[in-house]
Amino acid sequence: MATPAPVPTSTPPSASAPTPAAPRLLKALIVSSAGVAASHLVLSDTLYLSLAAQASAALGSGPGYSSGQAFTSALVNTFLLMPLVLWIGMRITGERKVGPVVLVGTVGWVVAVGNGIDAIDDRPGAILPLGSLLLVVGATALASLIRRRSRV
């Protein structure tokens, strides 16, 4: 008489086990760095358009849009880009439940831009204060360690 094959008592690790903390933190660090870089690039480029609109308006030939519109567009575009980059980046790396990363990263970016916009508004090519950029990246990466309890 043959013995029956043992029945597995747990699910395979790839099916439902969450990613350990260190790899998830590293993924979030990379994705949040990319999000800050992309959002800052969009912010600085569209603020440059705002400066160009101000200069051309001062010379008497407006480009068809006001500097206020370009400034608002800069803020809206960067505030929309950050959560998209964070969400897509974390999902591409295979992570689930990325809500805390997206929330903390987006709020941190809005606060950093709000506090540092004066430093880059009047000078083309200027960057936000490095400390605030690093703080956004660090806080966003640490938010990846927040876990919700799974329902049984």
Side-chain angles (χ1 to χ4, degrees), residues 114-133:
N115 288 330
I117 194 71
D118 292 335
I120 65 172
D121 186 29
D122 296 330
R123 297 181 317 207
I127 62 169
L128 287 171
L130 188 60
S132 64
L133 296 177

Side-chain angles (χ1 to χ4, degrees), residues 46-59 61-63 65 67 70 124:
T46 49
L47 282 177
Y48 181 75
L49 291 175
S50 174
L51 289 174
Q54 286 175 355
S56 63
L59 294 174
S61 62
Y65 57 90
S67 61

Side-chain angles (χ1 to χ4, degrees), residues 50-147:
S50 174
L51 289 174
Q54 286 175 355
S56 63
L59 294 174
S61 62
Y65 57 90
S66 70
S67 61
Q69 288 171 326
F71 182 79
T72 303
S73 173
L75 294 179
V76 168
N77 288 339
T78 192
F79 293 159
L80 291 176
L81 182 64
M82 180 58 115
L84 284 173
V85 169
L86 292 175
W87 183 75
I88 291 170
M90 291 301 285
R91 294 296 293 179
I92 285 174
T93 61
E95 296 298 325
R96 299 180 60 126
K97 298 180 182 175
V98 297
V101 171
V102 173
L103 181 65
V104 169
T106 303
V107 170
W109 180 248
V110 169
V111 170
V113 169
N115 288 330
I117 194 71
D118 292 335
I120 65 172
D121 186 29
D122 296 330
R123 297 181 317 207
I127 62 169
L128 287 171
L130 188 60
S132 64
L133 296 177
L134 293 175
L135 186 62
V136 170
V137 170
T140 304
L142 288 175
S144 70
L145 300 177
I146 297 173
R147 301 288 182 138

